[in-house]
Amino acid sequence: PRPDLAGRSLDFFDSGLCACSRNLFSVSGKLSPLCSEGKMSVFSYEWKKLMVMQRGLFYILAALLVSTVWLAAADRPQNSAMEEYREEYEWYLERLDGAYTEEKAAWLEQEAQAITEARSTRSGSQESYYSGQITAEQYERQIAEVNTVLAHEHGFEAVYQQYLYICENTGNRYFLKTNGWAGLFSAQTLDFPLFLVILILAAAVFCSEYSCQMDALLRTAPQSRKSARSKVVMTLCAVFALCGGLALIRFVFFGMKYGLPHGEYPVQSIASFGGSTKNISLLAAYLILTVLRCFGSVYLAALLLFTSVLVKKYALTVVIGVASTLIPYIGLSRQICYRLPLPLPFLLAT
């Protein structure tokens, strides 16, 4: 570039950016309408460039849509009996909901004994009837009495398994409907839609300028530093918002499908956190995990931005991002992954 470019105004800087964007993304050869806004602030222009010209908004919306569809299609309840016999299970839960008490334990043991005796009586009545020892009227009367006791037996099986788990540590394990919270905490895999969008957004921010050799021109413009800061801030904010949006979608989905009752109960009430020593609630645990995943997403985006400035190649930046994340994810155990100084442990926060 000529030496006199150093004193040019912001208008020339914006026109240079527009020309580069036109060369990269325009099919018709016509200048984008955004370029006519010569007085537009650097931040506003860079935002429109990232979200519109480079299709960042499209990728973000696509990731939200794909994640929602996949979640709806692939989700299965952690305890199918709670859903299959929902009314029977909820009948018991109304009487047991909350912390463990000796009264609840005694009542459950009485129910267990009564159901065991009723099942034995039913089997005996069937044998007596088929062997001709009792009449049909007697058999129907005995079965009617037994069925009264066994009206909620399937729900009892589900709640009794929960009772046995609570008995292992009655101090911090509560009775509650667990399918919603268990599903919410079950994400122990890498969120690939999120990962791909981070790769695309972060790699394109600076590499798009290097690909058309605009970086030398931009360094001579008065607003180059402000423009670079704006790009970094916008990219990190977009990634943070995407990760937070995905977490919100999961929360709403499981809340609507299964319910997320009693967020104030201890996190140990869910079997996957049974061995945890943290004295936090279910809702607080999910918020902490969400913050960790958002931090991991921002960390990955920042790492890719830094890498793109060093290597100046879009493809190489993407390869480095994929290799630093997928190789340990596929080839190493989870215990080792959690100790790596990389974004992956935070993306897998569980």
Side-chain angles (χ1 to χ4, degrees):
R2 295 179 302 174
D4 60 340
L5 287 177
R8 294 295 179 85
S9 65
L10 177 60
D11 292 341
F12 180 79
F13 173 68
D14 287 341
S15 65
L17 291 178
C18 290
C20 179
S21 299
R22 176 190 59 191
N23 294 333
L24 286 173
F25 302 106
S26 177
V27 177
S28 63
K30 296 180 179 180
L31 193 61
S32 169
L34 293 176
C35 298
S36 63
E37 302 176 15
K39 301 302 181 182
M40 182 183 297
S41 69
V42 173
F43 188 89
S44 299
Y45 175 78
E46 293 296 346
W47 177 260
K48 290 187 177 181
K49 179 184 174 184
L50 176 66
M51 291 297 157
V52 179
M53 294 179 180
Q54 296 180 352
R55 302 174 186 173
L57 183 60
F58 169 78
Y59 294 130
I60 290 174
L61 294 178
L64 293 173
L65 178 61
V66 169
S67 295
T68 303
V69 172
W70 176 256
L71 183 62
D75 176 65
R76 297 292 182 273
Q78 299 289 315
N79 190 328
S80 58
M82 290 184 183
E83 301 304 316
E84 187 176 357
Y85 307 107
R86 176 179 299 211
E87 293 184 2
E88 298 178 24
Y89 172 74
E90 290 180 349
W91 185 85
Y92 281 102
L93 195 59
E94 289 176 0
R95 293 156 176 78
L96 297 171
D97 189 24
Y100 171 94
T101 63
E102 294 296 335
E103 292 76 11
K104 292 177 182 179
W107 182 76
L108 266 178
E109 294 296 344
Q110 291 175 0
E111 281 289 303
Q113 183 177 359
I115 289 175
T116 301
E117 293 175 354
R119 288 172 177 172
S120 177
T121 301
R122 181 173 59 186
S123 299
S125 298
Q126 289 174 345
E127 292 178 2
S128 299
Y129 173 70
Y130 290 128
S131 63
Q133 297 178 10
I134 59 176
T135 63
E137 291 78 9
Q138 291 175 321
Y139 172 73
E140 291 176 357
R141 185 172 59 254
Q142 292 177 4
I143 291 299
E145 294 175 356
V146 168
N147 286 341
T148 302
V149 179
L150 299 178
H152 307 287
E153 65 173 320
H154 297 296
F156 176 80
E157 294 295 336
V159 80
Y160 196 76
Q161 291 300 317
Q162 192 173 6
Y163 163 70
L164 294 178
Y165 168 73
I166 291 173
C167 284
E168 296 175 6
N169 190 341
T170 58
N172 57 12
R173 299 181 182 182
Y174 285 22
F175 287 99
L176 81 159
K177 192 174 181 181
T178 59
N179 271 343
W181 290 108
L184 192 63
F185 289 119
S186 65
Q188 299 180 1
T189 59
L190 184 64
D191 191 331
F192 281 97
L194 172 64
F195 176 61
L196 291 176
V197 172
I198 295 175
L199 283 177
I200 294 171
L201 288 181
V205 170
F206 293 112
C207 289
S208 62
E209 296 167 356
Y210 292 124
S211 64
C212 64
Q213 299 179 350
M214 280 288 292
D215 55 301
L217 173 62
L218 297 180
R219 284 196 296 268
T220 65
Q223 301 293 331
S224 60
R225 291 185 180 274
K226 184 176 181 181
S227 174
R229 287 195 298 267
S230 298
K231 292 172 185 176
V232 171
V233 171
M234 285 186 298
T235 303
L236 299 183
C237 288
V239 168
F240 183 88
L242 174 59
C243 185
L246 292 172
L248 180 61
I249 287 174
R250 289 184 60 84
F251 189 86
V252 172
F253 174 81
F254 286 106
M256 294 179 62
K257 186 172 183 179
Y258 303 112
L260 295 171
H262 304 300
E264 73 279 5
Y265 283 5
V267 70
Q268 291 84 357
S269 301
I270 305 301
S272 57
F273 287 93
S276 174
T277 58
K278 305 296 183 182
N279 186 24
I280 57 176
S281 66
L282 290 165
L283 183 58
Y286 184 67
L287 291 176
I288 291 173
L289 293 181
T290 299
V291 170
L292 289 175
R293 292 192 182 106
C294 289
F295 174 77
S297 301
V298 172
Y299 183 10
L300 177 60
L303 186 63
L304 289 170
L305 289 171
F306 178 73
T307 303
S308 68
V309 173
L310 291 180
V311 302
K312 298 180 173 60
K313 300 291 183 181
Y314 183 89
L316 185 56
T317 300
V318 171
V319 169
I320 293 174
V322 171
S324 64
T325 303
L326 293 187
I327 289 178
Y329 177 69
I330 296 173
L332 300 178
S333 66
R334 289 293 179 266
Q335 289 75 14
I336 297 177
C337 285
Y338 293 146
R339 292 180 173 86
L340 296 175
L342 295 172
L344 182 60
F346 300 99
L347 294 173
L348 296 176
T350 55

